[in-house]
Amino acid sequence: MNDKIEMACPSRNDLLGLLDESLVDADINRHISTCEVCQQTLDRLTDSADLANYRDVVVENNDRSRYFDPPITEGDLGSLEGLAIERLIGTGGMGDVFLARDLNLGRKVAVKVLSCRQSHESTARFLREAKSAAKLKHDHVVSVHSTGRTSDGTPYLVMPLIEGLSLKECIVKGRADFRQMTDWIRQIALGLEAAHSEGMVHRDVKPGNILLDASDGRAKLTDFGLARSLGDETLTHADVLTGTPQYMSPEQANGETELGPATDIYSLGITLYECLVGTAPFQGQPLQILEQHRSTTPLRPSRLSRQVPHDLDTVCMKAIAKLPSQRYASVAEFGNDLQRFLEGRPVLARESTSLEKFLMWCGRNRTVATLAGTTLLLLLTLVVASTISAWRLRSANAEIVGEKEKATSAEKLAVADRNAAIAALETVVDSLYEELADNAASIQTREQVINAAIDGLEAISKVDGDMKSDRTACRALMRIGDLCFLKGDQASGELNYDDAVKIARTLHTTHPDDLTAKRELATVLGRFAANYLRIGNVKYVPLSDEATKLLKEVVEKEPTDFDALLRLVVQHDQQMEQIRFNANNEPQKVIDYGESIIKDIKQVIQLNSGNRSAYETAQKIHFNIGRGYLESSQPAEAAEHFTQAKVYIDQALIQAPKNVKLLTSAAIIERAHGMALASQARLDDAIDYYQSALGKLKRLAAADPTNAMQQQHVANTQTIASLTYMQEGRFDEAADASASAVKIFEDLLELNPDNEMARVVLVQTRFQLAGILVVDDQLDEVELACKQIRLEMEGKKFAANFLPAINYFRSGANIIDHTAVWLKGNRPSESSSSDQCLALLLSARRDVRDSTTNQLSAETLSMVERMELKLEGTNLEAMVTLINGFEGLHPFVGGQVKIGEAALYGRLAENIQEAQGAAGKQEVDWLVGKSVAAIEAFAAQMPVAQLKEKVLTNYELKWLRGTDAFQTAWQKIVDSE
C-alpha cells in the first residue's frame, strides 16, 4: 500500500468538483487513495443531493458566453472564427457542447469547449481528444473537423452535429429492443476496431458517449478525451483515475497505466449489459463500484431479464470477464460474435464452467488462493492461504514496535486475505450447494464440499488477534456452525456457535459503545437460535429475543444502518415463526406482531432496493401475516398480504430466477392466495391460482423426482384444490385431485415408511376423498377408501401431537363407511347417530334432486325403518325434524345439518319455480323461508366470518343466494358482525 500523501484534506467543493469531473488534480487523487476520511466523505457526497446542487450552481454561475466573440446574428449566444454559436446542447466532465452554424460551409456543427476549473493536465487531455479523433475516419466514430482556441485561450473542437439521442437516453426511455441495441454495440465495435488499428484506446466507452444518428440510424462513438496512443507515456495518474466508475475495467479500477484494447472491450461489454437489462451491473458509491469491478462477478443478464437469449448472455459475460486474457482477443472478435448472433448463427463464445470460474477467481486473488485443479482442491488451497495470512498477521504484530506503519499495513492485508478466504469459501459453498441441491443424487458431493469448507474455515478461526481478527474468527466459527447444522451434525454446530458467541460477547463487553460489535453479537445469537428453530427446537429462543433487543438498540441510534435493519427484519421473521408455534390456534397474535413490524420491512427495502435477502425475508413476513388472517377467517386482508408477498418474491426472483427455494415459495404464495379467494366465494379465480401454482410445483418436482418435499408440495396443492372443486359441485375433478394426492403420499411412504407426517397427511387426504365419494353417491368406492384408511393406521403408533387428528379421521372414516352401507340398502354391523343422520340427510338430498314434491321416496322411508327410528310423516319437513333431533353428532356430521337443511328446502324451491313458474310462487316462498330460517339458526351457532365461507361457497345454495329473501336476511346477519 502506498504511504499516505502528506497534504491537507481537500475542501468539500474540491471533492464535489472531483466527482463532477470539473476538477482534475493528480495530488488530490493520490491523497484520496490513502485517506479514509476523504473516501468516506466522497461516499457520502455521491449519494447526497449536494452533488446535483453543486452542478446546478456551477451551471448557473458559469457565464459561458465569455468563451465567444459578440454574436453576429441577434439571438445567438456568440460567435467564434466563422461559427455562429446558437445555444448550449450538452455538458460533461471535460467540456460544454454548443450548437453552431458554420458560416463558411453552411452546415450545422457541434462545438466542444473545455469547461472552467480545468488543470493543465486536463487541457492536455482535451487536446489529445482532438489529436486522437482527427486520426479516425470511420462511419461509427464522430470525427473532428477542426480545433482552435477562444479569445481567452480555452481550447475547443469543431465536430459534425449528430442529431438524435444518446444510447443512454435510449436505454432510459426504452426506445429500442435488445436486438437493435445489440446491433448498435456491434457498430461501435467496428469503430473501436478502427481506433485500435490506429493504436488508440478510448478508455471511456459508455452509453453516454454513444450517439444515435437520427438521419441514418447509425451509432457513433464520441468523446476521446481519455484516449491515448499505445506507448504514450504522457498519461498521468489523474488520467488513470478519471473516467466513469460504472464502466471501468478491473485493470483500470486498479490504477494500471498500461491499458490496452481489452479495456475498451470490457467497457463495451458493460454497455451491452446495460442495453440488455436496463442498468449497469454494479451500483453504489464510486469506491464500492470500483471494488465490484475488481472482485465481483455480476449476475448474468438472462437472470435479470428473461428475454435475453442464452447466446447473447454468453457473449456479454465473455466481454466483461475480469481477466483481460479471458475476454475476446480483439474488439473485432467481439463484434463478429455479435454479428453471428444477429444472423442467427451459433456464437463462438462459450459459458465458463464452474471450475473455470473458480480458477479465474484465484487469478484475481493470488494472496488468498493459488490455482487448483478441482473445486475441492481450491477449497483446501484456501486453507493454506488462510494459514499464511495468519502467519503474516502474527509476524506483523511481532515487529509492531519497530515498524509500526509497516506492521499496520501487513495486518490489514492479512485480515483482508482471511476475510476474502471466508467470502470465497462461502461463495463456493453457497453456489455449489444450491446447484447440487437440484439433484438429490449429489448429496455425497454436497457433503464433501461442506467438509472441505469447514476444514478451511477452522484454520481461519484458530487465529487470535485484535478486534478485527477476532471478528474474522467469529465469522468463521459461525459459518462452520451453519454448515454443521446443514449436514445434520447439531452437536458440532452447537460447539462452534458457542465459541462464536463467546468471542462476540467479549468484543461487545470490551467495546460496549461499538455498534458494529453489538450488531455482530446480535447476528451470532440470532443465527444460532434460527438453526434450532428451523428444526422445531425452541431451546435457544432466549438468544433470539436478546438478538432482537440488541438490533433495536443499534437501529435506534443508526436508523440507516442497513445491515442491522436487515438482521432485525430476519429476527422479526423468526419471532413470527415462534409465535405461530406457541399461538395454540390464536392467529391474531401472529397478525398483531406482523402488522407492527411492516414499517421495518418498508425501511429496509427503501435503504437497499436491490438486496435479495431483504425481499426474501419481507415476503415470508407478509406470507405469515396473510396466513394468520386466513386462519382467522379474514380472507380479504389475507389476499392483500399474499399479493404483497408475491411482489417481494418476484423482486427476489429477478436476481435469482432459477433459485428452487424462491420458485417454490412463489408457488406456495400463489396457492395461499387461491385459498383466500376461495374463502371469498371467488371459486373460479381460486382454481386458476391453484392450477398455476400446481403447474410450477410439478415442474420443480419433475426436476428432482426424489425430493420428497417438492412432491409433497404438489400433493398438498392437489388436496386443497380438491376442496374447491367440491364446493363448486365438480365432484369428478375433486375426486381426481384427491386421488392424485393420495398416490404421491403412497409413493413417498414407500420410499420412507417412517415419515410420520406424510402418513398423517395421507390419512387426511383419503378421508377427504371418502367424503367426496359419499356425497357423489359413489358408494362402492367409499367402502374401499375407508378400508384403506383403516389399513393405513393399523398397527401404527403416532406421536402424541398427531393423535387428535388421527382419532378424528378414524372415527370420521367409520361414519362415512357406515353411511355408505345404509345408502346401499343394508344395515352396518355397527352404527351411531352420526352415520344415521348423515345417511338420512344424503338420502333426502337424492329425493329432492329432481323432484317437485316434498314427499320422501320409498328408499328413504325404508332406511328409516331399518334404523328403527320414528318419522312423524312422509314428507321433507318430517325428515328435517328427525335430522334436527339427533344429538352427540361427530363434528364432521354436525357441521352439515343446518346447511344441509337449507340446501334441501332451497333445491326443492328451485325445482318448483322452474316447473311451475308463477303458479308455484306461494310454495316457493314458503320453502325459501324455511331455508333462510335454517341459515339464520346456523348463524347463531358460529362467527359470521366462518358462516360466510360455508354459505357463500356452497354450490347447492347458489340459487337460494339469488333470492330477495336470502339477500335481506343475509344483510342483517352481516350487519350484526
Side-chain angles (χ1 to χ4, degrees):
M1 183 179 290
N2 295 330
D3 292 336
K4 184 173 180 178
I5 302 299
E6 295 299 331
M7 63 174 289
C9 290
S11 68
R12 183 184 183 84
N13 272 350
D14 282 343
L15 292 176
L16 286 166
L18 190 72
L19 287 173
D20 192 57
E21 299 184 35
S22 59
L23 172 65
V24 178
D25 189 302
D27 288 339
I28 290 179
N29 271 317
R30 283 194 293 271
H31 170 80
I32 289 173
S33 68
T34 59
C35 179
E36 294 184 3
V37 174
C38 287
Q39 290 172 6
Q40 293 171 0
T41 303
L42 275 174
D43 287 345
R44 288 195 299 272
L45 291 176
T46 303
D47 280 345
S48 72
D50 292 349
L51 181 58
N53 294 337
Y54 172 82
R55 288 171 173 158
D56 291 342
V57 170
V58 169
V59 169
E60 291 170 1
N61 294 341
N62 181 19
D63 182 10
R64 293 186 173 89
S65 62
R66 70 177 177 80
Y67 296 136
F68 312 121
D69 296 328
I72 298 173
T73 304
E74 186 176 353
D76 286 345
L77 191 62
S79 62
L80 189 64
E81 296 184 0
L83 300 172
I85 310 299
E86 294 186 0
R87 57 185 173 85
L88 177 72
I89 59 175
T91 185
M94 285 300 297
D96 302 319
V97 183
F98 299 87
L99 171 64
R101 302 188 306 278
D102 187 327
L103 301 177
N104 297 322
L105 299 177
R107 63 185 179 184
K108 289 193 174 183
V109 294
V111 177
K112 183 171 183 179
V113 183
L114 183 66
S115 63
C116 62
R117 292 174 58 88
Q118 298 293 348
S119 66
H120 174 74
E121 294 169 343
S122 301
T123 301
R125 280 177 56 204
F126 188 86
L127 293 175
R128 268 201 313 277
E129 176 178 350
K131 180 180 177 182
S132 302
K135 294 180 180 180
L136 300 176
K137 303 296 180 185
H138 193 274
D139 288 341
H140 299 296
V141 174
V142 178
S143 57
V144 173
H145 291 326
S146 61
T147 65
R149 289 181 179 268
T150 65
S151 57
D152 67 353
T154 304
Y156 69 85
L157 313 176
V158 181
M159 302 173 291
L161 178 66
I162 308 297
E163 295 188 281
L165 300 174
S166 70
L167 181 57
K168 183 68 174 180
E169 293 170 317
C170 185
I171 293 171
V172 171
K173 295 179 180 181
R175 295 290 179 84
D177 59 26
F178 74 87
R179 287 187 63 84
Q180 176 61 74
M181 288 193 283
T182 298
D183 189 46
W184 286 330
I185 298 298
R186 180 193 62 81
Q187 295 174 27
I188 297 302
L190 297 176
L192 278 173
E193 177 62 18
H196 293 171
S197 65
E198 292 287 338
M200 305 302 302
V201 181
H202 189 284
R203 302 187 332 119
D204 196 24
V205 177
K206 59 183 179 181
N209 281 342
I210 297 174
L211 305 180
L212 308 174
D213 195 333
S215 64
D216 58 13
R218 290 178 175 175
K220 299 178 183 288
L221 182 63
T222 188
D223 202 351
F224 272 74
L226 289 181
R228 60 164 290 185
S229 298
L230 294 173
D232 180 4
E233 298 303 328
T234 63
L235 196 68
T236 68
H237 182 72
D239 292 320
V240 173
L241 295 180
T242 304
T244 309
Q246 282 90 345
Y247 309 94
M248 280 186 174
S249 67
E251 56 270 27
Q252 202 170 0
N254 279 331
E256 297 178 16
T257 57
E258 295 299 323
L259 300 174
T263 287
D264 286 347
I265 293 172
Y266 182 90
S267 299
L268 188 60
I270 295 291
T271 301
L272 173 60
Y273 191 108
E274 185 168 347
C275 288
L276 298 179
V277 304
T279 183
F282 302 127
Q283 304 293 329
Q285 300 165 346
L287 296 177
Q288 293 174 329
I289 294 173
L290 295 180
E291 179 56 34
Q292 289 171 335
H293 278 299
R294 288 190 287 261
S295 60
T296 303
T297 300
L299 291 171
R300 299 177 67 84
S302 61
R303 296 186 67 180
L304 300 176
S305 175
R306 298 181 181 179
Q307 68 173 349
V308 178
H310 179 267
D311 276 1
L312 190 55
D313 204 46
T314 304
V315 169
C316 182
M317 295 305 290
K318 181 176 179 65
I320 61 175
K322 298 298 182 191
L323 300 177
S325 61
Q326 299 291 337
R327 299 173 205 153
Y328 285 97
S330 69
V331 74
E333 281 191 17
F334 185 11
N336 289 340
D337 237 5
L338 292 174
Q339 181 69 42
R340 294 173 70 87
F341 165 76
L342 292 168
E343 293 174 354
R345 295 184 291 150
V347 299
L348 300 179
R350 65 179 181 85
E351 185 176 357
S352 298
T353 65
S354 295
L355 176 59
E356 289 172 331
K357 292 175 184 176
F358 295 141
L359 294 181
M360 285 187 278
W361 180 91
C362 291
R364 299 196 305 273
N365 298 272
R366 293 185 179 89
T367 61
V368 182
T370 59
L371 293 178
T374 66
T375 301
L376 295 179
L377 286 179
L378 168 63
L379 293 169
L380 296 174
T381 303
L382 287 171
V383 177
V384 176
S386 304
T387 305
I388 293 173
S389 298
W391 172 83
R392 185 183 296 151
L393 179 58
R394 288 196 298 270
S395 297
N397 288 336
E399 299 172 6
I400 197 168
V401 176
E403 298 179 279
K404 182 177 179 181
E405 289 189 10
K406 182 178 179 180
T408 301
S409 176
E411 177 186 341
K412 288 181 179 179
L413 181 59
V415 171
D417 281 354
R418 286 161 50 216
N419 284 334
I422 295 176
L425 286 162
E426 289 179 335
T427 299
V428 171
V429 172
D430 288 345
S431 61
L432 278 183
Y433 195 88
E434 190 168 293
E435 290 177 17
L436 292 168
D438 290 343
N439 180 358
S442 300
I443 192 164
Q444 185 176 1
T445 305
R446 292 203 297 270
E447 185 87 356
Q448 292 171 344
V449 171
I450 291 172
N451 288 337
I454 288 174
D455 289 342
L457 289 163
E458 284 178 344
I460 298 168
S461 67
K462 292 174 182 176
V463 180
D464 296 323
D466 64 357
M467 187 174 182
K468 289 183 179 179
S469 58
D470 285 344
R471 282 175 176 165
T472 304
C474 178
R475 182 179 166 203
L477 288 164
M478 185 168 58
R479 184 56 169 161
I480 294 171
D482 289 339
L483 293 172
C484 289
F485 276 108
L486 186 61
K487 70 174 188 172
D489 185 357
Q490 295 174 25
S492 297
E494 186 169 339
L495 286 173
N496 281 282
Y497 257 106
D498 280 339
D499 289 341
V501 168
K502 288 175 184 176
I503 294 175
R505 285 199 187 282
T506 300
L507 289 173
H508 178 49
T509 302
T510 308
H511 308 276
D513 297 326
D514 189 316
L515 294 182
T516 300
K518 183 174 291 190
R519 185 181 63 223
E520 288 176 351
L521 173 58
T523 299
V524 177
L525 296 174
R527 282 172 59 169
F528 192 7
N531 280 300
Y532 273 99
L533 286 171
R534 202 171 290 120
I535 57 176
N537 189 326
V538 295
K539 177 180 180 180
Y540 288 104
V541 164
L543 296 186
S544 180
D545 296 338
E546 183 183 356
T548 302
K549 179 177 179 294
L550 289 167
L551 289 166
K552 285 181 178 179
E553 292 174 1
V554 174
V555 171
E556 185 177 352
K557 290 188 177 181
E558 288 290 342
T560 59
D561 186 330
F562 173 77
D563 291 337
L565 190 58
L566 176 58
R567 188 65 232 175
L568 179 60
V569 170
V570 171
Q571 285 298 124
H572 286 327
D573 177 49
Q574 292 177 18
Q575 189 73 18
M576 287 189 74
E577 290 292 343
Q578 181 186 337
I579 292 172
R580 282 191 61 81
F581 187 83
N582 296 324
N584 295 322
N585 295 321
E586 297 181 64
Q588 191 60 45
K589 291 183 178 180
V590 176
I591 295 171
D592 292 342
Y593 184 83
E595 294 286 7
S596 72
I597 61 175
I598 287 179
K599 62 181 186 302
D600 290 338
I601 298 174
K602 292 180 178 178
Q603 186 177 355
V604 77
I605 298 293
Q606 185 178 6
L607 285 174
N608 187 347
S609 60
N611 186 277
R612 172 179 148 189
S613 295
Y615 286 122
E616 285 188 60
T617 307
Q619 67 86 13
K620 286 196 290 184
I621 291 174
H622 275 284
F623 178 79
N624 277 326
I625 298 173
R627 188 163 56 173
Y629 276 119
L630 194 58
E631 291 170 354
S632 62
S633 299
Q634 301 179 71
E637 292 81 359
E640 291 179 6
H641 284 280
F642 293 142
T643 298
Q644 188 59 58
K646 178 68 162 54
V647 170
Y648 286 139
I649 201 71
D650 284 346
Q651 288 294 327
L653 279 167
I654 288 175
Q655 300 179 43
K658 296 181 181 180
N659 184 283
V660 173
K661 183 177 70 173
L662 294 179
L663 291 169
T664 303
S665 295
I668 291 174
I669 290 170
E670 201 165 18
R671 182 180 73 195
H673 200 156
M675 295 170 67
L677 295 174
S679 295
Q680 298 176 76
R682 294 172 56 185
L683 302 184
D684 289 338
D685 292 336
I687 289 172
D688 288 342
Y689 271 76
Y690 295 150
Q691 290 176 341
S692 175
L694 188 59
K696 294 172 182 174
L697 291 169
K698 281 183 174 180
R699 287 192 291 274
L700 292 169
D704 187 1
T706 59
N707 188 319
M709 185 55 69
Q710 291 295 356
Q711 302 294 329
Q712 193 162 324
H713 286 319
V714 172
N716 289 339
T717 306
Q718 290 173 321
T719 302
I720 293 168
S722 174
L723 289 173
T724 305
Y725 284 131
M726 189 176 177
Q727 289 173 330
E728 282 223 309
R730 295 158 63 172
F731 292 106
D732 289 345
E733 292 168 275
D736 288 345
S738 287
S740 296
V742 164
K743 179 64 169 62
I744 291 175
F745 285 121
E746 287 176 337
D747 292 343
L748 291 175
L749 282 169
E750 188 175 339
L751 291 172
N752 182 8
D754 297 327
N755 188 337
E756 193 172 11
M757 173 61 82
R759 190 172 303 281
V760 172
V761 180
L762 171 58
V763 171
Q764 175 186 356
T765 308
R766 285 196 193 281
F767 177 73
Q768 180 174 310
L769 177 58
I772 295 169
L773 294 171
V774 76
V775 173
D776 198 33
D777 218 17
Q778 299 185 49
L779 303 180
D780 290 336
E781 289 82 354
V782 169
E783 291 186 69
L784 176 61
C786 292
K787 180 181 179 180
Q788 290 172 324
I789 291 174
R790 287 190 288 268
L791 288 173
E792 205 66 62
M793 294 186 288
E794 192 173 287
K796 307 292 192 309
K797 290 185 178 180
F798 293 91
N801 57 315
F802 289 141
L803 287 179
I806 288 297
N807 290 332
Y808 176 89
F809 299 139
R810 180 185 286 114
S811 58
N814 288 333
I815 290 170
I816 293 174
D817 191 15
H818 297 160
T819 298
V821 175
W822 285 118
L823 290 171
K824 290 174 72 174
N826 301 315
R827 182 187 183 97
S829 57
E830 296 179 4
S831 182
S832 67
S833 59
S834 292
D835 57 69
Q836 291 177 359
C837 180
L838 183 59
L840 291 172
L841 187 60
L842 292 176
S843 187
R845 180 173 170 271
R846 283 179 182 173
D847 292 347
V848 302
R849 187 178 300 161
D850 300 309
S851 176
T852 57
T853 174
N854 68 352
Q855 291 299 307
L856 298 172
S857 67
E859 290 81 0
T860 300
L861 294 173
S862 175
M863 183 189 299
V864 175
E865 290 181 6
R866 288 197 308 278
M867 292 178 180
E868 299 178 354
L869 298 173
K870 186 176 180 180
L871 185 65
E872 300 292 341
T874 59
N875 59 16
L876 181 60
E877 192 173 7
M879 176 59 75
V880 168
T881 301
L882 178 59
I883 290 172
N884 279 314
F886 284 108
E887 296 180 353
L889 297 176
H890 187 280
F892 172 68
V893 178
Q896 301 184 47
V897 171
K898 282 300 177 183
I899 287 292
E901 177 185 343
L904 290 173
Y905 284 126
R907 182 59 181 267
L908 184 57
E910 180 183 4
N911 293 342
I912 293 172
Q913 178 173 288
E914 288 181 358
Q916 301 178 19
K921 183 177 185 305
Q922 184 175 356
E923 188 173 4
V924 167
D925 289 346
W926 180 81
L927 289 168
V928 167
K930 299 289 284 185
S931 185
V932 168
I935 291 174
E936 289 174 330
F938 195 37
Q941 301 174 11
M942 65 173 54
V944 174
Q946 295 178 25
L947 180 73
K948 285 180 181 179
E949 183 173 352
K950 292 183 177 296
V951 172
L952 299 181
T953 62
N954 190 309
Y955 79 101
E956 293 189 304
L957 299 178
K958 185 175 182 180
W959 177 85
L960 179 67
R961 290 196 294 268
T963 64
D964 292 339
F966 174 86
Q967 291 293 334
T968 301
W970 186 252
Q971 189 60 52
K972 290 180 180 178
I973 292 171
V974 172
D975 290 343
S976 69
E977 185 178 7

